[in-house]
Amino acid sequence: MADRLLLCPPRFYRVAYVINPWMEGNVGRTDDAEAARQWQTLRTALADRAELEAVDPVPGLPDMPFTANAGFVLDDVFVPSRFRVPQRRPETRHFVEWFRQRGLRVIELPGQGSFEGEGDALLQPGERLVWGGYGVRTSLDAHRHLAELLGVDVVPLRLVDQRFYHLDTCFCPLPGGRVFYYPEAFDTESLERITARVTPERRFEVGAEDALRFACNAVVLDGAVISNFASGALTERLRTWGHDVIVCPLGQYILAGGAAKCLVLHLDHPGTPGRVRSVSDIRERTVEAQGDLLDTGLMNALLDRITEGGGDFEIEAFRPGLRHDQASLARVRVIAPSLRRLESILADMLEAGARVADEERDARLETVVQDGVAPAEFYSTTIFPTDVRVRGRWVRAARQRMDAVLVVEHHTAEPAVVCRLIRDLRCGELVVCGVDGVRVEGTHAPHANDTFGFMTADASSERRVELAVERIAWEMRRVRERSGRVVVVASPVVIHTGAGPHLARLIARGHVQALLAGNGLAAHDVEQALYGTSLGVDLKRGLNVEGGHRNHLVAINLVREYGGIAQAVAAGALRSGVMYECVRHGVPFALAGSIRDDGPLPDTIVDLIAAQAAYARLIEGADMILMLASMLHSIGVGNMTPAGVRLICVDISPAVVTKLADRGSIESTGIVTDVGLFLNLLAAALAG
Ligand code: NAD
């Protein structure tokens, strides 16, 4: 049986508007006579190999000759397009009419999702398999419905380059299970889907030379591949696969972003097997979000997470808060090309404050089968309070922290949930997998944190830093009044900037309950206490001291001689400074080792895991954490700290401050300023 194709003469064809990047700059620039000639040449090449039918063109619908976008035909069913772009929507009526008159069943896709016909739905010859393009014009939802309606397998392929806005611009299936395509037009997962289905000897990747000249936009008929262009390499490959290559120049249509395949719709697909119990991997779930969705930008952030994650969405309901104090509510259907993708998008959305809305389910638990290794689908935690549904009841996770997994324990009558690092997992433990039965408390919103600029050009910033410090001092006093805990994370910059004595004073006055640092802070603090220098610079006069570069080594050596900082203090060898005040006032400290360390001091914990554990112990129960000019230790501490702990990050680099503020916690304040100035102001504000 010969193929049958639907064409539409280009009588009214021109570039009349811009709906893809190819059309830009080409409005009104087509040459009618040349366009007609090119179309005739294509028609002749097609007529030799297929039966052709034509639909009448309609004035005012210049893109009608691109019949591939009319819809999709399989068996006796025509599924009309639901154009995403309004300019092409009026075409649908005329195509539907044509198919009705020829006795085909016209069945619209359920739902609202856009669908642009064969342009985004390419049947693999001889198989009941549709490659489904989405991400630019056609929605994922449409492919899910198409699979069910027609009993076909659909493999979704996400398009990521607007120039390749329909699948048929960058992908061409051939008989014998073969394909050729332009990989750059797809995301990584889509490429994996192609390679999972098509063995290497059956696929051919074209380069930009072919892709940009619409080589993939080819009509494949009876041993021939008809296209605007084919490079030498592509031609050779197609010949080895047994195809003639027929080149029909279609430059006039490329002005509008189309070529051979776009000008053709298959009216039947000879050799396609009968219906299968359709199984597309496309999955969906509904999520809800509530809060200041508009003013905080949360709504945008949520939708971005879906599209960036390779999914699609449909907003089912949106009720905006009409007053400042009223929350907005959104219900969003999230559609993803696979269960794995869906779960990762949902986990991202949960983190941003949404919750899965479908009927409540218990969390899915999987057993650990290797110590220190989590089951593949593990849910990874955030800093926000998290509840897990176990046997119909919501249980709050203990020891909330970021980048851990949730372990469900049944040791007691009531199940318990705890956040645990992957390395601490033991065989037999039950780990929460996927996002079912996980609820994250949405007390947070992006951009809700403050960042004060000082080192920026803004002249008023210095005053703003002063105001911020006054506010922090007030909070610290209140923490002390209720016997709360302030933890300081600090780097040697504190000493280099001459702020060591300010920090020492805060410790001596009982404003600091724990100190987290590295070898560097302690080494330079001891150096300063013994010699008045930091990295060899005299801190009083700001001058390099001759031979001073070895001072910190001498300091380290001295502490090593005594066996530790506390011992050096006890022996009277160390009599001032930050570390001295910690020892004198019984303020616990943890010094974490790093690859940069000299010495190290005997107190420095060089076992990374032990150092992390020591930090975690000292953070427990903290009300406030002051992070002073240490990118390494501040970010490390940020990851261990649950939401709800007040974080103050002071750094001269906005990037470090933003990184911490990006936790999205409303409790974090970033201050971009010199840490010496900050501590000077803070010690003064707390002096009274
Ligand atoms: P880091 O690079 O992680 O952090 C330093 C931060 O200070 C940066 O974010 C920078 O922007 C900021 N900064 C610089 N000048 C500033 C200023 N005037 N005001 C405010 N912020 C300022 O480095 P780190 O935390 O110092 O050190 C990383 C590791 O190296 C630590 O473990 C540390 O102990 C170790 N170290 C060891 C030695 C030593 O043993 N002699 C010396 C230095 C560092």
Side-chain angles (χ1 to χ4, degrees):
M1 190 171 95
D3 290 80
R4 284 189 311 128
L5 306 175
L6 178 66
L7 277 71
C8 174
R11 207 175 314 143
F12 306 110
Y13 168 68
R14 65 203 165 92
V15 179
Y17 39 70
V18 177
I19 53 172
N20 66 50
W22 299 93
M23 287 176 153
E24 263 161 43
N26 287 335
V27 171
R29 291 191 52 205
T30 44
D31 174 332
D32 292 353
E34 181 58 14
R37 260 194 303 278
Q38 290 184 350
W39 187 82
Q40 270 308 333
T41 313
L42 173 70
R43 191 182 180 287
T44 309
L46 298 171
D48 289 345
R49 296 165 179 84
E51 280 178 33
L52 304 185
E53 305 224 18
V55 57
D56 285 337
V58 176
L61 298 179
D63 279 341
M64 252 184 100
F66 297 121
T67 51
N69 308 124
F72 183 76
V73 187
L74 190 61
D75 309 327
D76 61 342
V77 176
F78 172 63
V79 182
S81 282
R82 194 185 287 131
F83 282 101
R84 198 174 86 81
V85 285
Q87 290 89 337
R88 294 198 64 183
R89 282 181 204 147
E91 294 176 28
T92 306
R93 187 164 62 86
H94 302 284
F95 286 116
V96 166
E97 186 56 29
W98 190 90
F99 280 94
R100 280 228 168 87
Q101 280 174 6
R102 272 144 195 86
L104 266 84
R105 286 197 296 148
V106 176
I107 307 183
E108 272 203 35
L109 286 180
Q112 309 287 322
S114 54
F115 172 61
E116 299 209 346
E118 204 170 66
D120 270 328
L122 293 170
L123 197 87
Q124 183 69 41
E127 295 177 39
R128 210 165 171 92
L129 163 73
V130 166
W131 300 97
Y134 77 98
V136 184
R137 293 292 188 81
T138 295
S139 67
L140 251 184
D141 205 24
H143 286 304
R144 192 171 63 89
H145 290 304
L146 191 74
E148 277 162 25
L149 181 72
L150 298 176
V152 288
D153 275 347
V154 171
V155 178
L157 299 178
R158 181 178 171 216
L159 301 169
V160 292
D161 182 333
Q162 295 283 330
R163 292 173 303 174
F164 303 98
Y165 58 99
H166 281 142
L167 182 65
D168 65 1
T169 62
C170 51
F171 187 90
C172 180
L174 297 166
R178 298 191 172 106
V179 298
F180 65 99
Y181 59 105
Y182 179 51
E184 261 79 351
F186 301 94
D187 72 357
T188 318
E189 254 181 59
S190 301
L191 293 173
E192 283 168 9
R193 266 179 232 124
I194 297 171
T195 51
R197 292 254 174 182
V198 187
T199 54
E201 59 289 356
R202 288 174 193 275
R203 53 183 139 90
F204 183 73
E205 295 183 355
V206 303
E209 186 199 10
D210 276 315
L212 292 170
R213 289 154 100 174
F214 282 72
C216 299
N217 197 247
V219 187
V220 182
L221 289 175
D222 192 23
V225 173
I226 303 163
S227 177
N228 171 69
F229 175 82
S231 65
L234 176 61
T235 305
E236 196 185 312
R237 176 56 70 100
L238 291 173
R239 292 222 170 104
T240 25
W241 284 348
H243 297 282
D244 288 337
V245 177
I246 299 170
V247 172
C248 285
L250 290 162
Q252 287 299 312
Y253 297 90
I254 290 177
L255 295 174
K261 174 66 198 73
C262 294
L263 293 163
V264 163
L265 176 69
H266 285 269
L267 292 174
D268 48 31
H269 300 273
T272 305
R275 288 181 69 94
V276 293
R277 229 174 50 89
S278 114
V279 272
S280 83
D281 287 338
I282 302 169
R283 296 284 182 278
E284 65 162 79
R285 288 296 282 276
T286 301
V287 299
E288 281 182 354
Q290 195 166 7
D292 294 337
L293 301 182
L294 298 178
D295 14 348
T296 60
L298 181 57
M299 191 66 194
N300 283 353
L302 287 173
L303 300 183
D304 282 353
R305 283 178 190 226
I306 303 174
T307 35
E308 281 160 17
D312 223 334
F313 62 82
E314 209 173 284
I315 299 177
E316 287 187 339
F318 187 78
R319 201 193 63 209
L322 298 178
R323 287 195 322 260
H324 177 65
D325 58 348
Q326 263 180 348
S328 305
L329 180 78
R331 245 182 102 81
V332 182
R333 211 149 60 82
V334 183
I335 307 134
S338 65
L339 180 63
R340 194 172 59 139
R341 223 26 4 230
L342 180 68
E343 296 213 315
S344 94
I345 292 172
L346 292 181
D348 254 13
M349 296 183 77
L350 253 56
E351 189 189 345
R355 61 181 49 180
V356 178
D358 320 27
E359 77 287 4
E360 295 206 331
R361 304 179 195 184
D362 276 356
R364 181 159 62 85
L365 303 180
E366 283 188 29
T367 309
V368 175
V369 292
Q370 186 181 345
D371 284 353
V373 180
E377 310 282 312
F378 67 84
Y379 173 84
S380 85
T381 59
T382 65
I383 59 169
F384 302 105
T386 304
D387 296 321
V388 177
R389 197 168 182 274
V390 189
R391 285 194 247 120
R393 284 195 42 227
W394 288 100
V395 184
R396 173 62 51 98
R399 296 173 182 253
Q400 190 64 45
R401 59 156 295 157
M402 206 166 132
D403 296 340
V405 298
L406 295 161
V407 171
V408 176
E409 294 177 336
H410 293 281
H411 307 316
T412 47
E414 297 297 324
V417 177
V418 66
C419 294
R420 184 156 307 154
L421 293 175
I422 289 177
R423 64 174 181 240
D424 294 332
L425 289 173
R426 289 294 161 264
C427 279
E429 285 187 321
L430 294 171
V431 170
V432 174
C433 289
V435 291
D436 281 332
V438 179
R439 223 163 50 178
V440 180
E441 203 166 276
T443 55
H444 52 293
H447 320 304
N449 41 58
D450 318 315
T451 300
F452 294 102
F454 174 60
M455 297 311 291
T456 60
D458 183 354
S460 67
S461 295
E462 188 169 0
R463 180 65 194 135
R464 291 194 68 202
V465 173
E466 278 172 23
L467 290 173
V469 170
E470 274 168 33
R471 167 77 199 249
I472 292 162
W474 176 78
E475 288 180 40
M476 285 176 72
R477 262 196 224 102
R478 283 166 44 103
V479 173
R480 198 173 59 166
E481 277 159 24
R482 59 170 195 271
S483 304
R485 303 190 68 236
V486 173
V487 176
V488 167
V489 183
S491 83
V493 176
V494 168
I495 311 297
H496 300 329
T497 54
H502 303 309
L503 180 56
R505 215 171 320 138
L506 292 179
I507 296 168
R509 291 199 188 130
H511 288 293
V512 178
Q513 277 61 52
L515 176 70
L516 307 180
N519 187 67
L521 174 110
H524 293 293
D525 172 61
V526 175
E527 175 195 351
Q528 205 239 323
L530 299 181
Y531 306 106
T533 60
S534 184
L535 253 189
V537 176
D538 182 325
L539 288 178
K540 286 226 166 67
R541 289 175 298 147
L543 297 174
N544 276 320
V545 174
E546 211 183 307
H549 66 274
R550 64 187 285 279
N551 285 359
H552 72 287
L553 297 179
V554 179
I556 292 170
N557 199 41
L558 181 109
V559 178
R560 289 177 69 87
E561 188 187 328
Y562 284 97
I565 293 171
Q567 291 88 325
V569 171
L574 181 60
R575 285 197 291 260
S576 67
V578 172
M579 302 316 299
Y580 167 78
E581 297 297 351
C582 281
V583 174
R584 201 163 69 100
H585 295 278
V587 172
F589 59 84
L591 305 179
S594 87
I595 200 149
R596 278 176 65 175
D597 294 350
D598 297 314
L601 293 164
D603 305 74
T604 301
I605 310 169
V606 292
D607 174 342
L608 163 70
I609 292 174
Q612 285 187 352
Y615 266 40
R617 261 195 311 279
L618 291 180
I619 288 167
E620 237 171 81
D623 299 275
M624 178 191 275
I625 302 183
L626 264 180
M627 301 171 158
L628 306 175
S630 173
M631 178 160 64
L632 181 71
H633 298 298
S634 300
I635 293 174
V637 167
N639 292 349
M640 296 180 190
T641 310
V645 179
R646 185 86 169 94
L647 289 191
I648 317 282
C649 175
V650 182
D651 202 288
I652 213 156
S653 152
V656 175
V657 168
T658 313
K659 172 112 181 119
L660 275 149
D662 268 357
R663 295 165 24 116
S665 160
I666 46 172
E667 302 90 3
S668 65
T669 295
I671 303 182
V672 179
T673 191
D674 173 71
V675 72
L677 173 82
F678 173 85
L679 277 171
N680 193 347
L681 291 173
L682 185 66
L686 285 169

